[in-house]
Amino acid sequence: MLLITHHTGENHGLLGPQIVATYISEKLKIPTIVLGLKRGFKEEEFFKFLDEHYRRREKVVLFSYHCGRPDILELAEKIKTKGYRTILGGPQVEKDISGEPDLRNYPERIKGFSHIFDLGYIGPIDGMTEEILKEKRGLFYGNWRRDIEVRVEWDNLFVFGDKIEKIQVREAQVLRSIGCPYASKKEKLLIDAPSFLFNAEPIEIECEGCSFCDVAWDKGYRGNLADEKILEQIENLPTINGRKIPFELIDEYPIVYLPRLLELVFTSDINVSQINLVLRVDDILRRKQTLEHCLVEMKKRGLRLFISSVGFESFSDKILKNLNKGVKVSENLETIRILRELKGKFRETVFYSRDEGAVHGFIHPTPWDDPNTIFEIQSVIGSYGLFHDILPCHSTPLIIHHGCALGEWARKIELKYNIRFSRRVNIIEWWDYKKVFR
């Protein structure tokens, strides 16, 4: 069986899809591999491969992490018309399958993917049975819990461009936190109207976590896995030259756990090479001393810490507020100061800069850009030399998935000011709008 997903072709693993493929292979006894589709893959060659692969197999195809790519969704629809059973899993499933609300009155809204997929599977793979896999239709909801299945076969990843190729995984992930603690609190916020609506009133929405987050509604925050589960995952990582490959600890607030993680690794005599962190600004601010203590211990053992992404997102207080990041520009800058200071002390142990491979969050453009925000951002960038180590080569435009909190903001803007944003796949294109009259 194939689990089809987005992949760049680089040597990094895909934790979620590979857990699913491992579970189905080992628990349900249905051999399953993960097949990442490169952008620009050759569709004709792919269908030749698909027909051959399923020649003597039951025609069930799984999809996950489509990354909003129209080509993957169009492919899924074509596969379905060929008589295959199609299943979509992963974050965003519920709202991607269902589409936007009130479609009867607003037919221009995203209709969802229920016509493409026979089943939308929500939650951990632990609840999957052969009956669900082969017969269930509509939406299925699994239950999140702290003892979920985390066994991963890292040898089951392939990619397809014009032919199938095996990926030798050189960088992986270890799951600790199910969801994000910052998304555990639901609150009402006033989000500014787009800057092109001069002097328009702010819009009130309910938000869990960052307003643009496209997975917060899926998990919220369900707690952390036990130490045994963490250790199990690390022990199962591939080894190169006697050391475990670098891995990202999936945890939005990982520093509080880092001392315990190092203790587990050191006492278990596991030879780890590098730990990667993707984290929030406030984690570094609150736990600088803990981080520095960990770096002392890591330096002694030649273990590297790669701070691969910090969610700065903007250097305008107005935009940070509308993104509901929970921090101010001054806190972003203090975090950068801390990172630079630590680099000076632990030059061969900690890595955080763009030249070292980090890609920190910087969202631009946004709907709230105006001369004031642009001046503010450019002034900060110039004054603090952010191009030297922090800013990515290219910023990321604000992406509004129709199910996130800003999706509701966009719909309220449309109704209140009689405009219509265009849609594409599962995205509301806030930059493309027209005036409507009813």
Side-chain angles (χ1 to χ4, degrees):
M1 184 181 295
L2 296 178
L3 194 162
I4 296 174
T5 184
H6 160 79
H7 201 281
T8 61
E10 298 173 356
N11 292 329
H12 62 81
L14 297 172
L15 181 65
Q18 290 180 253
I19 285 178
V20 171
T22 302
Y23 182 92
I24 292 174
S25 296
E26 296 184 353
K27 303 290 185 179
L28 304 186
K29 308 303 180 184
I30 303 172
T32 303
I33 64 170
V34 178
L35 183 63
L37 293 180
K38 296 182 181 179
R39 294 187 186 273
F41 74 94
K42 305 298 183 184
E43 187 177 284
E44 184 178 346
E45 296 303 315
F46 175 81
F47 273 110
K48 290 178 182 177
F49 160 75
L50 186 75
D51 291 341
E52 178 61 30
H53 183 81
Y54 278 93
R55 186 179 299 278
R56 295 179 181 84
R57 294 181 173 95
E58 200 162 359
K59 291 187 174 183
V60 180
V61 182
L62 310 172
F63 287 83
S64 177
Y65 187 51
H66 53 72
C67 205
R69 282 175 50 183
D71 57 339
I72 291 182
L73 294 163
E74 289 166 6
L75 177 71
E77 192 165 8
K78 291 175 182 177
I79 288 175
K80 183 178 173 65
T81 62
K82 286 179 171 287
Y84 286 77
R85 173 173 165 81
T86 53
I87 300 173
L88 179 63
Q92 308 175 359
V93 168
E94 179 178 8
K95 295 188 180 182
D96 272 356
I97 293 288
S98 303
E100 291 187 82
D102 205 4
L103 289 168
R104 178 177 296 179
N105 291 321
Y106 304 98
E108 69 276 5
R109 292 180 175 179
I110 293 167
K111 294 174 175 58
F113 308 148
S114 59
H115 64 292
I116 299 177
F117 298 100
D118 297 294
L119 173 65
Y121 188 93
I122 301 154
I125 192 59
D126 304 54
M128 179 65 79
T129 64
E130 189 169 353
E131 179 183 4
I132 294 170
L133 186 68
K134 295 180 178 180
E135 299 178 18
K136 177 74 176 176
R137 292 184 177 273
L139 291 173
F140 177 85
Y141 295 83
N143 295 318
W144 287 106
R145 59 181 193 274
R146 292 181 67 243
D147 61 341
I148 59 173
E149 183 64 51
V150 293
R151 170 156 165 72
V152 184
E153 176 53 65
W154 291 108
D155 198 38
N156 66 351
L157 179 59
F158 298 78
V159 294
F160 195 98
D162 54 8
K163 62 181 179 180
I164 188 169
E165 301 174 84
K166 188 174 181 59
I167 292 289
Q168 299 295 330
V169 175
R170 295 290 183 266
E171 189 169 301
Q173 305 87 33
V174 168
L175 176 66
R176 180 190 179 234
S177 180
I178 304 174
C180 174
Y182 187 59
S184 61
K185 180 184 177 183
K186 181 178 289 188
E187 55 187 333
K188 290 186 176 181
L189 303 171
L190 285 174
I191 305 295
D192 292 324
S195 58
F196 61 77
L197 294 173
F198 299 105
N199 299 319
E201 295 179 352
I203 299 294
E204 185 178 79
I205 59 171
E206 280 195 340
C207 193
E208 297 171 88
C210 300
S211 63
F212 60 92
C213 182
D214 57 3
V215 296
W217 70 73
D218 178 65
K219 296 187 185 72
Y221 176 60
R222 305 302 179 98
N224 299 317
L225 272 61
D227 289 348
E228 293 75 16
K229 288 283 185 179
I230 310 295
L231 201 55
E232 174 188 345
Q233 294 176 75
I234 297 173
E235 289 174 335
N236 192 46
L237 291 171
T239 300
I240 298 178
N241 297 327
R243 306 191 79 174
K244 296 296 184 181
I245 63 172
F247 65 89
E248 174 194 338
L249 183 67
I250 298 180
D251 185 342
E252 296 293 325
Y253 288 93
I255 296 176
V256 70
Y257 186 69
L258 193 55
R260 178 58 179 158
L261 176 65
L262 295 177
E263 181 184 0
L264 288 172
V265 168
F266 297 154
T267 57
S268 301
D269 216 21
I270 301 174
N271 200 355
V272 170
S273 57
Q274 177 175 300
I275 298 171
N276 302 347
L277 301 183
V278 174
L279 69 172
R280 288 175 47 84
V281 163
D282 49 341
D283 196 27
I284 296 174
L285 288 176
R286 294 174 185 173
R287 301 184 175 92
K288 178 195 170 186
Q289 289 186 335
T290 300
L291 180 56
E292 188 164 356
H293 173 76
C294 290
L295 289 171
V296 170
E297 297 303 313
M298 296 174 79
K299 182 178 180 179
K300 292 177 184 177
R301 295 167 170 83
L303 176 58
R304 294 161 47 117
L305 183 71
F306 180 33
I307 299 176
S308 59
S309 184
V310 180
F312 297 112
E313 315 307 1
S314 182
F315 295 92
S316 160
D317 280 326
K318 175 181 178 178
I319 293 173
L320 287 171
K321 175 189 75 72
N322 289 327
L323 297 175
N324 197 33
K325 288 299 301 180
V327 295
K328 296 182 179 298
V329 171
S330 59
E331 292 171 298
N332 278 353
L333 294 175
E334 175 62 12
T335 297
I336 292 167
R337 188 197 67 77
I338 291 171
L339 291 174
R340 290 170 172 172
E341 177 187 311
L342 291 174
K343 183 64 176 178
K345 292 181 179 179
F346 303 95
R347 189 160 298 278
E348 301 302 321
T349 303
V350 67
F351 302 85
Y352 78 93
S353 75
R354 177 179 63 190
D355 291 344
E356 294 164 336
V359 181
H360 300 300
F362 180 46
I363 298 176
H364 178 81
T366 77
W368 311 287
D369 297 334
D370 60 31
N372 291 329
T373 63
I374 291 172
F375 177 78
E376 181 184 7
I377 292 169
Q378 290 178 342
S379 296
V380 170
I381 289 172
S383 298
Y384 292 88
L386 302 187
F387 274 124
H388 295 306
D389 55 352
I390 296 298
L391 294 188
C393 295
H394 303 284
S395 62
T396 301
L398 177 64
I399 303 299
I400 299 182
H401 183 282
H402 73 83
C404 75
L406 285 180
E408 182 61 19
W409 169 84
R411 286 185 287 272
K412 287 185 175 183
I413 290 288
E414 288 180 314
L415 295 178
K416 186 168 184 176
Y417 296 103
N418 291 324
I419 62 174
R420 291 293 175 268
F421 296 114
S422 63
R423 265 76 168 167
R424 182 174 182 268
V425 188
N426 57 0
I427 299 300
I428 299 176
E429 297 180 318
W430 56 266
W431 57 90
D432 185 11
Y433 67 94
K434 62 182 178 181
K435 190 75 175 176
V436 297
F437 301 94
R438 289 190 179 272

